[in-house]
Amino acid sequence: MSSKPSLARGTRDFGPEKMVKRNYIFDTIKAVFQRFGFQPLETPSMENLSVLMGKYGDEGDQLLFKILNSGNFSEEISQTDLDEGYKKLTTKISEKGLRYDLTVPFARYVVMNRNELPLPFKRYQIQPVWRADRPQKGRYREFYQCDADVVGTDSLICEAEIVMMIQEVMQSLNINFNLKINNRKILSGLSEAIGAAGQEAALAVAIDKLDKIGQEKVMEELAERGFSEEALANLTPVFSITGSNQEKFTKLEELLQTSEVGKKGIEELREMWNYMTAFGVTDENIELDITLARGLSYYTGAIFEVKALDVQIGSITGGGRYDNLTGTFGVPGLSGVGISFGVDRIYDVLEELNLFPNNQAVTTKLLFCHFGKEEQNYALPLLRAAREKGINAEVFPDNAKIKKQLDYADRKKIPFVVIIGSDELQSGLLTLKDMTSGEQFKLSIDDIFAKITE
């Protein structure tokens, strides 16, 4: 007796209805990427473990899906290998793994092809990644990432264009959003200015929770992490930095006047804002937020985070500037900036707020129904003509009752059907049925094409 099939934990099927909606998101984002000059890139699903290991920390190494070597991989394993543990054993039985993200494969590609690539190099990549994480709500072992990066330039025009891309994607998807921007150098400068140099990571992690736990709890956490009373007193003015983005800049300049790295961060953000103004970008939906902290282990400049309004879902887009994308592969100093769109979360936003276009579930627009073989044959050249007109069309392939054919159209949400019987063969006028309203019309094939494309 055959066993009932099942999915691997942490993976999903996407049926036609969901795929049409997902493709709507992918196509919208892809069109924006291409409009800004980004080129498509795909890398293999599997990479050599020598490429992947050591790039994500110890926890990341454990979450990599390793692929067993072909053949009798166990014959060279000794008791010593088993005794030495996980890492030693891995090198014996596995040389490859599934990619964990799109950034490391991108860095590997840039290093391998650096002499042929036009710099700056602008690429986008939309592919699945795999993580051996514990599956739970909203967290999967296989999911898509949707990245765009430009490498090989320090120009802050790139940051301004990323802001524009985010705006275009969100507006195209009709998502009401808030884009927060900060700079890693400001976080470093803040720790210097309050007398806690070298403690920027702990400071950033704590103040990043300000919206969730409030000022008092943030101060308590910092005190527990060893921040002095003087440092906490110096930090207090940060919580009163409010107003317009330009007012925040002014207050930041006063606060960070003793920190060179902090002043550099403000200078970079001001230059980026000047480029945005030159592009015609306003401050609508854009917020300078010095408590924003993400990617502390790799971002070195601007930091971006986007949240959808009107819905309780985490960030849907994030990114920033990094100074050493390819350093781990022996090619240091290649600067870049990029963003990643969270397709699964964007899908949830559109679904919850009912923002998907109504016709997105429609893949076929016209179905030819028939009463028999002669009528079916009559429909075939008409089917070809419909497709040549750019109409998604099909003919019901079996000789079946009309009710069954109409049920098929209804289940696939096909909005129009043409019914061909003996009367239609004689008159040349075909019966067009609008499946939404139930109305029927007797029309020539040209009039049918005109009606359903109007």
Side-chain angles (χ1 to χ4, degrees):
M1 181 177 176
S2 60
S3 60
K4 185 178 180 181
S6 62
L7 280 170
R9 290 187 66 220
T11 65
R12 296 163 289 172
D13 285 326
F14 298 107
E17 186 173 347
K18 286 188 176 180
M19 274 309 304
V20 168
K21 292 178 177 180
R22 286 172 66 84
N23 284 339
Y24 166 70
I25 297 172
F26 288 138
D27 292 345
T28 300
I29 296 172
K30 190 185 302 182
V32 173
F33 286 164
Q34 292 174 343
R35 198 150 53 241
F36 279 75
F38 288 77
Q39 297 177 295
L41 174 69
E42 285 197 355
T43 58
S45 298
M46 69 180 77
E47 295 275 354
N48 290 323
L49 283 181
S50 58
V51 168
L52 300 174
M53 296 286 282
K55 308 302 189 301
Y56 311 105
D58 288 341
E59 182 182 0
D61 284 350
Q62 292 183 41
L63 294 180
L64 285 169
F65 272 110
K66 285 83 173 177
I67 300 172
L68 291 176
N69 293 338
S70 301
N72 188 5
F73 58 83
S74 62
E75 63 183 1
E76 296 182 8
I77 299 174
S78 65
Q79 186 60 47
T80 303
D81 296 327
L82 294 173
D83 293 340
E84 288 185 358
Y86 156 77
K87 286 191 175 180
K88 179 72 174 177
L89 184 61
T90 296
T91 61
K92 290 281 188 178
I93 66 175
S94 176
E95 297 172 354
K96 295 176 286 294
L98 297 178
R99 65 170 170 256
Y100 181 88
D101 69 358
L102 299 180
T103 303
V104 168
F106 172 50
R108 189 261 311 148
Y109 175 85
V110 170
V111 168
M112 291 181 64
N113 297 276
R114 63 190 180 279
N115 295 325
E116 289 77 40
L117 292 176
L119 292 180
F121 177 50
K122 305 172 80 171
R123 85 82 168 88
Y124 72 86
Q125 199 168 346
I126 303 174
Q127 288 186 275
V129 298
W130 295 268
R131 297 182 185 178
D133 213 344
R134 178 178 296 173
Q136 53 187 284
K137 182 176 173 57
R139 179 174 291 179
Y140 302 98
R141 287 175 168 170
E142 178 187 63
F143 57 95
Y144 267 77
Q145 288 190 336
C146 188
D147 292 7
D149 293 82
V150 50
V151 296
T153 175
D154 297 322
S155 173
L156 296 172
I157 286 178
C158 299
E159 275 84 337
E161 288 209 309
I162 278 182
V163 171
M164 294 172 66
M165 285 199 299
I166 289 170
Q167 286 189 323
E168 286 202 23
V169 168
M170 295 300 132
Q171 289 165 0
S172 296
L173 296 172
N174 294 312
I175 294 175
N176 191 15
F177 70 98
N178 173 245
L179 165 58
K180 291 185 176 183
I181 302 174
N182 196 11
N183 190 295
R184 172 65 189 277
K185 296 180 179 68
I186 287 176
L187 293 170
S188 299
L190 189 58
S191 64
E192 286 186 358
I194 68 171
Q199 294 179 273
E200 63 181 272
L203 175 65
V205 168
I207 65 174
D208 190 44
K209 301 174 185 175
L210 183 63
D211 289 344
K212 296 177 182 176
I213 65 176
Q215 178 180 339
E216 185 178 339
K217 293 291 185 182
V218 167
M219 298 295 255
E220 287 179 11
E221 181 174 326
L222 289 173
E224 291 171 2
R225 289 175 176 266
F227 281 71
S228 68
E229 289 186 11
E230 181 183 1
L232 294 178
N234 292 335
L235 180 64
T236 301
V238 170
F239 302 111
S240 61
I241 295 180
T242 57
S244 69
N245 290 326
Q246 294 308 316
E247 288 170 337
K248 290 179 181 178
F249 273 123
T250 301
K251 293 174 182 176
L252 263 180
E253 285 167 339
E254 295 173 4
L255 185 66
L256 301 182
Q257 57 185 318
T258 61
S259 170
E260 290 303 315
V261 66
K263 288 193 288 187
K264 178 64 175 174
I266 296 171
E267 179 187 326
E268 289 180 3
L269 281 186
R270 276 200 176 279
E271 183 178 348
M272 187 187 85
W273 241 271
N274 289 337
Y275 285 131
M276 286 158 53
T277 301
F279 277 127
V281 176
T282 68
D283 276 4
E284 183 181 6
N285 297 334
I286 300 175
E287 176 187 354
L288 171 59
D289 182 359
I290 64 169
T291 68
L292 174 63
R294 60 181 292 135
L296 294 175
S297 61
Y298 44 90
Y299 289 141
T300 55
I303 310 169
F304 307 99
E305 183 174 88
V306 178
K307 290 190 176 180
L309 304 179
D310 312 316
V311 62
Q312 292 298 314
I313 288 177
S315 63
I316 58 175
T317 301
R321 163 74 64 173
Y322 42 82
D323 280 344
N324 198 16
L325 172 72
T326 55
T328 56
F329 294 113
V331 182
L334 196 61
S335 180
V337 61
I339 51 170
S340 181
F341 287 91
V343 172
D344 290 303
R345 286 186 174 178
I346 290 174
Y347 183 101
D348 291 341
V349 169
L350 297 182
E351 192 82 335
E352 185 169 334
L353 299 178
N354 196 28
L355 294 176
F356 281 110
N358 290 331
N359 66 348
Q360 280 306 309
V362 176
T363 53
T364 300
K365 194 166 188 179
L366 177 63
L367 174 69
F368 287 92
C369 300
H370 49 85
F371 278 88
K373 195 68 176 176
E374 184 180 359
E375 290 86 349
Q376 185 185 57
N377 289 336
Y378 182 86
L380 298 184
L382 305 182
L383 173 62
R384 178 175 178 176
R387 290 169 176 165
E388 289 174 348
K389 291 280 186 182
I391 300 169
N392 295 347
E394 56 182 292
V395 64
F396 197 81
D398 299 325
N399 290 322
K401 292 181 179 180
I402 287 294
K403 183 182 183 305
K404 181 177 180 179
Q405 298 181 50
L406 294 178
D407 285 345
Y408 173 81
D410 193 48
R411 293 187 68 174
K412 283 195 71 174
K413 296 183 174 63
I414 300 173
F416 295 100
V417 299
V418 167
I419 301 172
I420 303 175
S422 56
D423 290 347
E424 285 76 14
L425 290 182
Q426 291 178 10
S427 67
L429 294 178
L430 309 178
T431 300
L432 175 69
K433 181 170 183 174
D434 185 325
M435 295 295 289
T436 303
S437 67
E439 293 181 284
Q440 293 192 174
F441 311 90
K442 286 281 190 178
L443 299 170
S444 68
I445 191 63
D446 289 336
D447 288 341
I448 287 172
F449 292 161
K451 184 171 182 61
I452 67 177
T453 57
E454 65 185 13

